[in-house]
Amino acid sequence: MPNEQDELFASVDALLEHVADQDALPDPAERRRLREAGGLSQDQVARALSVRRETVTSWEVGRTEPRPPKRAAYARLLEGLAARYPADPTTADRPAPTLTEASAPTRPPTVAPEPAIPAPTAPEQTPAPAAAGAAPRPADHTEPPAPSPRPAAKSTPPKNGLPKKIPPKYASPKNTPTKKPADAPAGTDPRFAHGPLGVLDEDGSLYCVGGLVLDCPAKTLPALVEWTLSEAKLGAPRLHRSGKDADPLIVLTAAAAGRLGLPAELEDRRGLRLPEDHQVIKQLARAEWKLTRRGFGPWARIYRPTEGGRRQCVQLAVLPWGALDERSWGATGQLPPADVAAVLGSYAQRVITPLGSTAVCGLELMTALRPPTRAVKSASGSWESGPMPGSLTEAVDPAPPEAPLEHPVVAACYPRFHERTPDQVVDEEAYDWFRPLTDEECTAGYTHAVGLDVNMAFAAAANRLVVGLGPATHEKRPDFDSKVPGSWLVDLSHVDLDPRLPSPFTPKGIRPTGPAWYATSTVAYAVELGARVQPAEAYVRPESGAYLDPWYTRLRDAYLATMADLGVTTGMTDEDFLAAMARHKNVDPGRAAVLSAIKSSVKGGIGKLRERPQSAKHKHGERWPALERPTWSPHIRAELIGKARTNMHRKMTRLAAAGLFPVAVLSDCAVYLSRGPSPLDFLPYTPEGKPVPGGFRLGVSPGMVKHEGTQDFLWLASMIEDEQINPARHIKGTDAAADGE
């Protein structure tokens, strides 16, 4: 009888295994939940099933599926756990992780009150921002940020790797530190439960977003990298399904850098790199960690080659070496660690985890949102990497008129010191124009000069802009097609415009004198003005698309959400908008730093599209590293700047129809004469009280304008007539170029 029963049980087990082979396993997230609910580690499960721990990880993230006979045993384990620990309906939709989780047992971190993004000069009056890990506020959000004091001190950290909390005396009465589970809340990737980054201080305290402070036991840089990847739970999920998750960022204060053996400043002030024979670099090499080609500088990437699809990479930012440029980040680099984490965390949540200058971040955001490759099935049925439709998939050389002077295609055509003429080079740059005052303007009773600045002008130009995605094709005497991006040699000197307006075809606003190379955006505007065009030749790109659309959308949303934090929202009246803009930078200087970084990411990212050689060792006509990027595209930069410039001209033309002409334009700032100090003193409105359609309109949205600054009329006349300086450069009292405008 016992033998018969054993045979029956064996038969039933075979049937169960057959069922398990087909569809008996819960989804990957539920597998992980059940294991952790039972208090089991991945190592314990692996030993019970005679597999490697990495195999269990792969099952729990859905990268692989168990195969017989281990599948049936795994299903039996999960079934038993499910009977003891039924799913909580409030967390049933928690997303599954997709990378290897840390092997250490989970520990409950302790949360301190969220630090405010501070004012460097008056931190005690700084309101706290929204949590960096929270969703962006809608553009019309008007609720002011709640105050929350910045933690000024912390207890001595325990040296056991456990999270710790700020002493309660530094907590808000309404936000006393409380414990939360080690797992991220529903909707948050549990692999990155502690946010995208941490700021390390001298005593081993790692300040993360949301007020969380972890204890980092690492005493050396290799140990810090190992701990970050295995214990810290830092990073951010990919912005595109075919992209890459953001690597964790560790920001080193001056004290932390010294504790890890790094010098207070870099001796190589030109290259900004640590010497190859430095002890820290030797430590990394002994631990088999690698550095990228840019070496160990203010922004250092430390990695090991990918194994089994698992990235092993940590990004470092060294504050005492100037990682956070004050032109983009203000005084963020000099703030206490918790406040640095709050500022960078907000930027990371809304834009991208910082991984270099804001220019680098702006460029990397393009790739993060439009990856060059995706997984495709080959004819044999296996998965392999293939080009992503709509993306820049490979590096291509520019057409000769699009290339900068140092490029090999230019060196092959002209001597080194040859100065190319308009019919030899595309010159699509932003406006730098001013004109003499007319006699009528000098006697009309104007008292002020008022500057209007277009919000996010270059980002707005990127919206719905069709650009080339592949190499150019050379054509002789083609018909112009405004839907085809490229460069066109065409004569626009016959286009007659009011001399009180700058020409839309040249950066200096001077009427062209003959044939010149233009981007499609500029030639299309000439056609819009009624010009007849017949290109002599062109370099066109049949493969095209709105590559920058997701880039624009993310930066627009980040900009509007940050402006809302500063009290400036859509839908305001013109009077309320001007009042809010007059005080917005003082509402929360920390948020103002985030705003500055967002705007710098736009302009810097566009500039990186045509990055010139950075090395002093570069020789004319040789290639440089930037040329190997798919995102090195002077053509896209030219299309975008041409559109931004013609957008400005279009708005100025609409105001000119109402009798208003600018006296100066610098990039996205136009200066007008006024009988009062405010834009409301000269901007025209319809009888219904609406702004003139198509002209400059006050408001926070990209493409709308804000008050840039006001000077008196005599100052303007002196700048133009006596000093021959563009008054738009100094309309707000400082040098716009020096301020990064």
Side-chain angles (χ1 to χ4, degrees), residues 85-106:
Y85 309 102
D88 181 350
T90 63
T91 60
D93 293 330
R94 180 178 299 167
T98 57
L99 286 183
T100 304
E101 66 167 11
S103 59
T106 56

Side-chain angles (χ1 to χ4, degrees), residues 2 24 120 126 128 160 165 187 195 241 325 364 423 450 529 598 711:
T126 303
N160 56 2
K165 64 183 179 182
R241 61 181 297 179
D325 190 329
E364 289 295 326
D423 61 340
V450 180
L529 294 175
I598 292 170
Q711 301 289 341

Side-chain angles (χ1 to χ4, degrees), residues 403-686:
L405 180 64
E406 306 89 347
H407 198 281
V409 301
V410 178
C413 297
Y414 307 103
R416 178 174 182 180
F417 297 105
H418 173 77
E419 185 173 345
R420 289 182 290 176
T421 55
D423 61 340
Q424 296 173 338
V425 61
V426 175
D427 188 24
E428 297 284 13
E429 300 294 341
Y431 269 131
D432 186 356
W433 168 88
F434 65 99
R435 63 173 175 82
L437 299 174
T438 65
D439 292 342
E440 181 182 358
E441 289 169 336
C442 290
T443 59
Y446 292 114
T447 57
H448 294 85
V450 180
L452 298 176
D453 183 76
V454 180
N455 302 322
M456 300 276 282
F458 296 101
N463 188 25
R464 298 191 297 274
L465 177 67
V466 177
V467 299
L469 303 177
T473 301
H474 188 216
E475 296 184 2
K476 288 286 189 178
R477 294 196 61 81
D479 292 329
F480 175 70
D481 187 343
S482 62
K483 297 180 181 179
V484 178
S487 300
W488 310 78
L489 180 61
V490 61
D491 189 349
L492 299 178
S493 61
H494 62 283
V495 181
D496 193 20
L497 299 171
D498 193 305
R500 290 172 292 180
L501 288 173
S503 168
F505 309 129
T506 63
K508 292 295 184 182
I510 301 171
R511 184 171 178 168
T513 58
W517 285 98
Y518 303 100
T520 298
S521 302
T522 302
V523 183
Y525 184 61
V527 174
E528 181 182 325
L529 294 175
R532 296 180 60 186
V533 299
Q534 177 53 62
E537 58 179 304
Y539 289 91
V540 296
R541 290 173 169 79
E543 183 185 354
S544 61
Y547 172 75
L548 294 172
D549 269 8
W551 184 79
Y552 161 75
T553 299
R554 186 163 179 86
L555 288 166
R556 176 203 63 194
D557 292 348
Y559 167 79
L560 289 176
T562 307
M563 290 297 289
D565 289 342
L566 295 170
V568 187
T569 61
T570 58
M572 288 179 140
T573 65
D574 289 352
E575 293 81 2
D576 289 344
F577 170 72
L578 290 173
M581 286 299 298
R583 62 176 180 267
H584 81 287
K585 289 186 178 180
N586 298 321
V587 169
D588 182 348
R591 287 289 180 195
V594 177
L595 180 67
S596 173
I598 292 170
K599 294 194 290 186
S600 295
S601 300
V602 173
K603 292 188 177 181
I606 294 169
K608 282 282 186 180
L609 291 169
R610 197 188 65 164
E611 183 178 356
R612 311 290 278 272
Q614 302 296 308
S615 173
K617 299 179 181 179
H618 176 264
K619 295 182 180 179
H620 180 76
E622 289 185 347
R623 298 184 70 82
W624 59 96
L627 302 186
E628 311 312 318
R629 296 193 316 250
T631 49
W632 192 85
S633 177
H635 147 71
I636 294 181
R637 178 182 178 275
E639 289 283 6
L640 198 152
I641 294 179
K643 184 179 178 183
R645 193 182 64 247
T646 55
N647 281 349
M648 283 286 291
H649 193 274
R650 185 181 292 106
K651 294 177 184 296
M652 291 187 290
T653 300
R654 299 293 173 85
L655 288 193
L660 292 176
F661 293 86
V663 294
V665 183
L666 180 68
S667 187
D668 46 10
C669 174
V671 176
Y672 283 85
L673 299 177
S674 174
R675 292 180 174 84
S678 169
L680 299 177
D681 294 321
F682 75 91
L683 280 175
Y685 289 80
T686 66

Side-chain angles (χ1 to χ4, degrees), residues 221-345:
L221 203 54
L224 173 62
V225 175
E226 295 277 6
W227 177 85
T228 300
L229 293 173
S230 62
E231 302 284 344
K233 291 189 177 181
L234 294 177
R238 64 198 68 186
L239 297 179
H240 187 282
R241 61 181 297 179
S242 295
K244 299 176 181 178
D245 296 318
D247 297 316
L249 168 63
I250 300 295
V251 182
L252 301 180
T253 64
R259 178 173 180 254
L260 295 171
L262 296 174
E265 62 179 28
L266 292 170
E267 295 181 3
D268 181 4
R269 303 307 302 165
R270 182 180 182 87
L272 291 178
R273 298 293 181 267
L274 203 62
E276 292 296 326
D277 59 354
H278 193 275
Q279 61 175 354
V280 168
I281 294 183
K282 291 180 179 179
Q283 288 175 357
L284 291 170
R286 284 195 296 269
E288 298 183 346
W289 290 104
K290 298 179 179 294
L291 293 167
T292 58
R293 185 166 46 188
R294 63 185 179 183
F296 201 123
W299 291 91
R301 186 177 292 272
I302 302 172
Y303 73 98
R304 283 177 181 152
T306 301
E307 293 182 0
R310 178 172 178 252
R311 286 171 61 84
Q312 301 180 83
C313 184
V314 173
Q315 179 76 52
L316 292 184
V318 188
L319 294 183
W321 296 354
L324 299 180
D325 190 329
E326 290 192 6
R327 292 171 296 180
S328 302
W329 293 99
T332 300
Q334 283 74 52
L335 297 176
D339 301 330
V340 176
V343 174
L344 297 184

Side-chain angles (χ1 to χ4, degrees), residues 707-729:
H707 181 203
E708 177 72 354
T710 295
Q711 301 289 341
D712 63 55
F713 180 82
L714 292 179
W715 173 91
L716 175 81
S718 175
M719 292 288 286
I720 292 176
E721 304 295 340
D722 299 335
E723 300 186 41
Q724 293 291 301
I725 295 176
N726 187 340
R729 184 176 298 276

